Each structure stands twice: as C-alpha cells, then as structure tokens.
Amino acid sequence: MTHAHAPTSGADQAILVVGGGMSGMSAALATARAGQRTVIVEKSAVLGGAMARMRGCTPRRPPYTDVEDTGVAELISDIEAHELVTVYRNSSVSELTAPTGDAVTPGGFVAKITAGGGDDVVDRFGAVILATGWRPYDAHRLGYLGYNDHADVVTQMELEELAKAADFGPIKRPSDGRAVRSVLFLQCAGQRSLVEGELSGCANHCCMTAIKQAMYFKDSDPDIETTLLYSDLRTPGARGEQFLRAGLRKAVTFVRGRFDSVVSGPAGLIAGFTDEILDAPHRQTYDLVVLATGMHPNGIPVDTRNNDKDTDPEDISETVLDAVVGDATRQPPLADAYTAAALPGLPYATAHPGIFLAGASKQPMDLHRAMEDGIGAALKALQSLSRVAHGEGSERMDNKPS
Amino acid sequence: MTDSAASDQTLLVVGAGVSGMTAALEAAEFGKNVILLETRAWLGGLPRQLTPDLPAHTGPGRFRPDLVLENLEQRAHEAEDGGHLKVLTQVEVLSVEPDSGSYTVKVRQNPRFVNERCTACGACADAVEAEFDDEFNNGFMGSRRKGAYLPHPHAFPRRYMLDPRIIGTEDARRAADACREDAVDPDQQATEFSLRVGAIIWATGAHPYSAKTLTAYGYEHRADVISSDEFEHMAAKTGPTGGRIVRPSDGAAVRDVAFVQCAGSRDLNHLRHCSGTCCTATLRQARRVLDTWSPDDTGAITIYHTDIRISGESETLLSDTRSREGVRFIRSKVSTIDEGTDGRLICRGVNTEGGQGYENAHDLVVLAVGMQPRAPGIELPDGTHPDADGFMHMDEPTRGIFPAGTASEPLDMEQSARNATAAAMRAIEWLAQQHRAR
C-alpha cells in the first residue's frame, strides 16, 4: 500500500467497485440505492463478467427444476439507469493510494482509473470493493483429458459460448459444425486432484452447471444423449436436490466413475471410463466431451506452491494487491490460488480497512452466492463510510474470532 | 420495550442464531435501530447448542464457531450499549400484519420468574428440589437440570430462571426464600405487546431432523444409536459425559464407531433435500473420535456415505481423514441397524461399489441427520411462504420481509453469516425506499 496526502472528509463518500461482473454490479447497485455515488471499473468492454458469456443459470426459484435466465441484462440495465452509478469500461485501476499516517485509517482513497485509449481519471473514494471475479482453470494443462488434441473436448465455459451461439437451436460441435447428438460431461477435471499444479479444491458449482448444461440439450431434444461422469455429485440444499431430480426426470444419465481416456474415432470421440458402481470398463462414442475445470481467482496473487503465477496485470494494480494481501503470509494458505482471500471469520475484510472483497475472487462460488456476497460487501463498505463520517478513524475488525 | 420505541424505520430480526445475530448487528452497526427477538433464553441458536469443542476445520483450522459466537455476543452487548440494538429473549411472535408500508408485529414475552436483580449466584438452584430434562442437551443420556437454572453459561441476559412447572409448588417458595437479592418473582406473567417496524428479517433457523422417524435404524430402542447432534452433546466438555466419547448404554469406551450419512436426508420419505453440512460435520466428529485414541492403538471408524458433499478447505479434511489408519469409507446408504447377541450394533446394506452386501458390527452408530426448517408457527404475510421442502423463499423481493440463514436454505455458519449480511443490506434498502416514498 502506498500512502499519499489526501484529505479525509465527508466529501469522500463515493464507493469504488473494481469489477463489473454479477458480484460487482450487485454491490454497486446496493450502494447506489443506499444513496452513495458509486463507480464501477470494468476491464472488458462489457458488464456481466463470466455470467455474460453464459446462456442460462441454475434455478433460484422453487420448484428449482428448470434452467433460468442469467439476469445479466436486467442487472446491467438497472446499473445503467441508476444516476449514482458511473461505469468505466475497458478500464483498470492503475493506482490506489490511501492517506499517510495511521495505516489503519479507512477512507481517503485516491484511485487513478486508466481507460484503454482514453485519459486517466483520478477520483476519491471512501471505500473500495474488489469484485474481480474468476476465470476457468487453464484446460491446456489437462492434455491427458484430450483438451489439446481434440476440438470437440471443451470446457464448461466454452460449452456456454457454443450454447449461446446456437441461440436455442441445435448446439454444434466445434470440429465440423455438426449438431451434437451425444455429450459426456467429465466432472472434477483437474480439480479435487492431488496432481502437482492441479487444483486440490472443489469449485462447488460444476455439478449444478453440468446438469444445467445437460438440460440445454435435453430441453431442445430429449433424444440427445447426455452422460455425467462424476465422483461425488455435489448438489446440496433443496435447490440442488430438486434440480438433480429434475435432471434425472429429463433422462440425464449419471455415472459414478473414473475417466480413463479419450481418442478420435470414426464418428466422434471415443471416451473410455470405468463405471465404479458396476465396476466395469466402458467405451462409448460422443460428439462432445465437456470438462468441468475449476475456478481461478482474478486479480489475486496466487500461492506460489501452486505456481499459477498468471495474475492479470491489467486487472488491478499492484498497490491494490498489496492492500489486499497485507501480511497474508501470516494467514494459513487456502487451497489452490485462493490464498489472499478474506481473513478468517471476516468474510469480506482485507488486510486494509475500507477495502472489501466480494464474490468468486475470494473463494469458488456460484452466481447466486456471488450476487449475495456482493450485496453483503456493499453493507460493509457503507458501514465503513459511516464510520469515517462519524470521525471514527479506526475500523473495527468485525467478526474477528478472538 | 414499548410500542413507542419502535418506528417505521426500525428493523425487526426474528431469531438470534448466527444469521439473526449477524443480520441484526450488521444493520445496527450501519446505524439502523434494530430489535432482535429470540424465543430461547440464550443467543447463538443451534450452533451454540451443538458446537463446541470441535473446530470446524481441523485441517487448516481457520474457522472457530465458538469464537464467532462469542464475538457476536460481544458485539450485541456493544450495540445495545450504543443504543442501536435491543435484544429480547423468551419472546414469541404471535402475528405479523402489514400496515401501510410497515408492519405491526404482536409478540408475547414469556415470564422468566426472575428479575433484573439476579446476580446469577445459583442459590435458587441449590434450594429447589425438582429436576427436569436439560433441554440444552435435549435430555441426552439422562442429562437433567434443576427447576431453577441458568439455561446456558451464555444465557442472555445472564440470569437464572424458574421452570414454569415449579410455579405454585413449594420449590417456587424455596427459590424465592433462598434469593438474597429479591430477584425471584413467581408471580411474573406473560405479557403481550405490539411492535411497529419497517422491515423484518426472518431468521428462525433450522433444527435437527428427528431420528425417531428412522425406524429401520432403531434409534428409539437402542441407546448406542445416536444422532449427530447428540454426538456433539457428548463431545462437549459441558455435556453429560464431560466430553468422553462412550457407549451410552453402559458408558464403556468405544473402539469401533460408525457414521451413517444421509440419515433421513435425500430421501422421499423423510427430508428430500441435502443439508449440505452433515458431511463436514461427520468428518469433524470422526476426527474427534480418532483424537481420543492413541496413534499406536487406534480403533476403527466406518463412514457409510452417498455423495460426499463438502466445500473449500474441507477437501483437505476429507483427504487427511481418508488416509488415517483405521478409517474406511463405504459408499452405501445403510439399510438396517440391528442389535447383535453381544449387544453390538450390526449395520447391514449393500456397497454400491461392487454390489457386495455387508454386515458390520460397531460399538456406536452416529446418524447424520439433516436440517429440518423450523416451522414459523404463524401465518406469514403474502409474499413469503415455504418452498416444497419447508424453506422460506421470497416470491417478491419488493416486500419488507426478508428470510435469512437456514430458515431460507441449508447453510453452514459462514454461509449463514454472508446470507444474513446480504439480507440486512436488502432490508436497509427497503427501509430507505419506504422512507423516500413517504
């Protein structure tokens, strides 16, 4: 964290949200509705983050049986309509400074916002919400699952793009554009893995996502074969269990098993796996194989032991990272790259008062949790502002378990 | 607390478990006036009752439920001192009526029969003779308490109370006579009053599914078949065994423990849903048992499971537990539990991996029961109603009633805290919107 002279005053009450995905937009809308000027800095040309690339989302309303609209368009239009929200697209926070003196003084942030091709904007903020989101684990590392050799081996995110491109028509396989008639969903691809460089944790959403994606096919044509190869089906809650049952009713095939190999065959990909219930090897031809790769946080430095040192420098400045990380070395490392995320028992806090984390940049979570998390982070940011306004210089570490 | 203390801008939070306390505190710390109601005489809800001497993640050891609860209580005291929060315990909600943009909530304050002069000295408990099942430990293994008692070391407020069943008996007089502070008041009556509030957060939580309904597991007839919440009582230092893990039937040390996952969960005849927390809880409990054995003389642990559903850091806990000597995982929903001729318990079923039947004897069987959403007990206003599994769901987000925590879906403590923080933000937004509309 660098420290510059900047006045803390009642005027510095704006909120900076870094990242215009669902979590960041949810946070921004909440702070704006509470009457605070809010600025969203989004590195890409569009709002919506990862969810903007998806065709649908898992259900959030009872009876939890059908794919729902992502709600991205609605949220973007709410954001754009709100007079207190300013959005900088194609932009990043190139500098973020806090006042000199007491290092635990919140507020008084000065941010330099660098727009692609435009002039820098310098603005003052009372609190910062980092909602930099996630990206899929790099599937190129999963050569043994056929990703590098076969065009029709895709990630869940790539299937979303295929489904979106299909526009509710038949989803086509990348190799030759033929409509997909059979698809194998391969869960835990490079996740829950003890292999060096792979992810040891579980991204939590992929089982639900695979069922949702199987429904893309089943809803368009119930005769398309969809098989989900899993080790543990993780669909908790009433929502998860009802959605799983809906998948079963739509004749999605669930196989508990172990993936063995994928090779090209005359009619498509020949996948080999061992059915662990029947304890029998199995080989079958599929038009498409979908890999459930894990989640990797954006803009958060990674645990060097997992050496995935591809933090996106365009995403967020080093000074912001310093603020987030703080003395993270004293924290026990989280699994995978989620090292620097929220402090223990402090779901939104960072090492720097006034800077809060929201969404899947701190731990894997699905859309619904990410939006909820953004809304919660908004309240923490607003609390922080009101403390500054009331002259309480030092922020208490809420929820601190000691 | 009178009607005048509340206003159209007051937030009412119903239920003082982790979610309710979090929602109330986050709103109060933002500057809202909050009233927090709890039917019980202590705060912290189910986690307070169940937790406790087990860290949630024995692996990385980041999250300590007991410390989180203590912190929530500390913050509640501070928020009360600051004038933004009023906590009322032993209060039930009788009705909720929408009233031109706000709500009129009728409540009943149940009598404690002990007033604010109580110093928690315990003289009344010494004096009375009657004993009752200790509800804090659900009467597990015959745990009893006196008719005058401190409901919990963290009772809120920290005062003794009289069991209504001793009112009108000699015991009530004995308690009053023993009190040097004139704090015992057997004539206290329940009072009813109304609160006018601008928004409501409904955080009534969930409770463990009753293992009694699982007839094939013989829970009702076999002392050594216990539920996962009873295991927690046994593991607690303050519990009936002082934290020793034993066979309830004879108090003998255990050498072979089985955990039965999805006991009454993911089951069309019981709870259809998955509670999402039982797998992690079982891993913690298994570790608790392993810790009681010396490494060179370890007993056996069997975990019968379907899908293992854990998240984040618990993955390490799973892989560590799998690698421990004496631990085996069997992928099977146990069919029946019977008693063998030697008094041990026989779990029978079919291993879904390979299809082999099994018949395994154990000293102690722990049934991992799921979360049953707590029935609200009152008719809620339009716009809020339970889903098919009994969890609350907001039909229309524009209403002023917001479900939070495990009343709305099965969640662990951290998820509950985040869910409740978001609920507090939504309620604050609603209040602001109503304020502008006036």
Side-chain angles (χ1 to χ4, degrees), chain A residues 233 242 256 383 396 399, chain B residues 75 78 272 309 353:
Chain A
L233 265 180
Q242 296 300 352
R256 174 172 152 80
Q383 284 176 355
R396 48 179 296 162
N399 298 331
Chain B
R75 287 167 63 195
E78 286 173 24
R272 296 190 306 173
R309 293 178 171 176
E353 291 173 330

Side-chain angles (χ1 to χ4, degrees), chain B residues 95-222:
Chain B
S95 68
V96 177
E97 296 294 332
D99 177 6
S100 55
S102 57
Y103 293 92
T104 299
V105 181
K106 275 200 189 128
V107 301
R108 178 194 293 129
Q109 168 78 63
N110 290 313
R112 186 178 194 101
F113 306 110
V114 172
N115 65 31
E116 67 287 347
R117 286 192 286 273
C118 176
T119 60
C121 73
C124 56
D126 294 341
V128 307
E129 290 171 2
E131 285 195 344
F132 301 96
D133 278 356
D134 170 13
E135 50 277 272
F136 190 78
N137 286 307
N138 293 321
F140 180 56
M141 291 182 74
S143 55
R144 307 278 279 175
R145 58 150 176 84
K146 285 293 197 67
Y149 63 110
L150 190 63
H152 181 265
H154 290 267
F156 193 101
R158 197 177 140 76
R159 283 183 219 155
Y160 274 65
M161 55 196 286
L162 301 192
D163 192 298
R165 288 167 285 190
I166 72 164
I167 299 304
T169 72
E170 270 303 287
D171 263 343
R173 192 190 52 77
R174 288 190 195 103
D177 289 350
C179 184
R180 290 180 294 268
E181 307 292 336
D182 198 20
V184 174
D185 177 7
D187 296 328
Q188 255 183 20
Q189 301 289 322
T191 54
E192 292 184 6
F193 53 94
S194 294
L195 298 165
R196 189 179 161 85
V197 297
I200 300 170
I201 288 178
W202 200 263
T204 49
H207 60 144
Y209 187 67
S210 170
K212 285 180 186 164
T213 62
L214 305 170
T215 49
Y217 293 165
Y219 167 85
E220 262 202 292
H221 311 292
R222 301 190 179 98

Side-chain angles (χ1 to χ4, degrees), chain A residues 118-161:
Chain A
D119 290 334
D120 288 354
V121 175
V122 175
D123 204 346
R124 299 197 306 189
F125 299 96
V128 180
I129 295 170
L130 300 177
T132 53
W134 64 283
R135 61 183 179 280
Y137 177 85
D138 183 2
H140 290 100
R141 293 162 165 229
L142 304 173
Y144 63 94
L145 298 179
Y147 184 78
N148 295 332
D149 301 327
H150 306 286
D152 297 332
V153 176
V154 299
T155 63
Q156 284 191 337
M157 186 58 104
E158 287 162 348
L159 174 56
E160 290 293 336
E161 286 161 351

Side-chain angles (χ1 to χ4, degrees), chain B residues 17-137:
Chain B
V18 169
S19 309
M21 287 178 83
T22 302
L25 287 167
E26 295 298 348
E29 287 168 12
F30 177 65
K32 283 287 155 199
N33 288 324
V34 181
I35 299 170
L36 175 61
L37 302 184
E38 169 58 46
T39 56
R40 289 181 274 202
W42 71 82
L43 308 180
L46 198 58
R48 173 60 89 195
Q49 216 174 344
L50 295 187
T51 59
D53 297 315
L54 320 176
H57 301 291
T58 48
R62 290 169 61 85
F63 188 66
R64 289 280 305 275
D66 50 340
L67 296 182
V68 169
L69 288 169
E70 271 175 36
N71 178 258
L72 285 172
E73 275 186 15
Q74 179 60 33
R75 287 167 63 195
H77 287 299
E78 286 173 24
E80 283 212 295
D81 290 345
H84 285 300
L85 178 67
K86 182 70 198 161
V87 182
L88 300 175
T89 53
Q90 294 179 274
V91 169
E92 293 170 57
V93 171
L94 302 175
S95 68
V96 177
E97 296 294 332
D99 177 6
S100 55
S102 57
Y103 293 92
T104 299
V105 181
K106 275 200 189 128
V107 301
R108 178 194 293 129
Q109 168 78 63
N110 290 313
R112 186 178 194 101
F113 306 110
V114 172
N115 65 31
E116 67 287 347
R117 286 192 286 273
C118 176
T119 60
C121 73
C124 56
D126 294 341
V128 307
E129 290 171 2
E131 285 195 344
F132 301 96
D133 278 356
D134 170 13
E135 50 277 272
F136 190 78
N137 286 307

Side-chain angles (χ1 to χ4, degrees), chain B residues 176-430:
Chain B
D177 289 350
C179 184
R180 290 180 294 268
E181 307 292 336
D182 198 20
V184 174
D185 177 7
D187 296 328
Q188 255 183 20
Q189 301 289 322
T191 54
E192 292 184 6
F193 53 94
S194 294
L195 298 165
R196 189 179 161 85
V197 297
I200 300 170
I201 288 178
W202 200 263
T204 49
H207 60 144
Y209 187 67
S210 170
K212 285 180 186 164
T213 62
L214 305 170
T215 49
Y217 293 165
Y219 167 85
E220 262 202 292
H221 311 292
R222 301 190 179 98
D224 299 335
V225 177
I226 66 173
S227 63
S228 42
D229 48 306
E230 289 170 338
F231 181 94
E232 303 266 339
H233 292 315
M234 185 150 70
K237 288 191 195 79
T238 54
T241 62
R244 284 176 53 241
I245 309 298
V246 299
R247 296 207 319 184
S249 61
D250 58 5
V254 294
R255 296 291 300 163
D256 189 318
V257 181
F259 292 90
V260 175
Q261 298 308 103
C262 301
S265 292
R266 304 184 66 191
D267 187 329
L268 294 175
N269 294 319
H270 296 282
L271 300 177
R272 296 190 306 173
H273 62 269
C274 156
S275 294
T277 58
C278 328
C279 287
T280 299
T282 287
L283 291 172
R284 291 164 55 222
Q285 293 180 349
R287 294 295 282 263
R288 178 70 168 74
V289 175
L290 284 169
D291 289 348
T292 66
W293 294 327
S294 105
D296 47 4
D297 183 28
T298 192
I301 285 181
T302 307
I303 297 175
Y304 299 97
H305 63 95
T306 62
D307 294 299
I308 295 186
R309 293 178 171 176
I310 55 178
S311 61
E313 294 161 69
S314 301
E315 206 71 57
T316 320
L317 185 57
L318 173 62
S319 53
D320 288 353
T321 308
R322 272 190 197 282
S323 69
R324 294 283 288 263
E325 198 181 326
V327 177
R328 66 178 162 168
F329 285 73
I330 296 179
R331 183 173 285 265
S332 168
K333 196 145 182 168
V334 170
S335 308
T336 59
I337 303 173
D338 296 308
E339 203 165 305
T341 49
D342 58 354
R344 298 182 81 204
L345 300 163
I346 316 289
C347 288
R348 290 194 180 85
V350 175
N351 189 336
T352 58
E353 291 173 330
Q356 295 295 309
Y358 59 82
E359 197 173 298
N360 299 328
H362 307 284
D363 298 332
L364 178 70
V365 177
V366 183
L367 305 178
V369 293
M371 288 184 206
Q372 166 123 35
R374 185 170 290 271
I378 59 162
E379 286 297 315
L380 288 164
D382 293 346
T384 307
H385 63 76
D387 67 22
D389 295 294
F391 293 97
M392 285 183 57
H393 181 83
M394 286 299 297
D395 258 347
E396 287 182 48
T398 50
R399 308 262 178 179
I401 300 183
F402 304 86
T406 53
S408 65
E409 59 178 318
L411 299 166
D412 66 20
M413 274 178 73
E414 283 205 85
Q415 290 167 341
S416 293
R418 291 213 301 264
N419 182 275
T421 307
M425 182 72 249
R426 289 189 177 108
I428 288 167
E429 256 180 40
W430 166 262

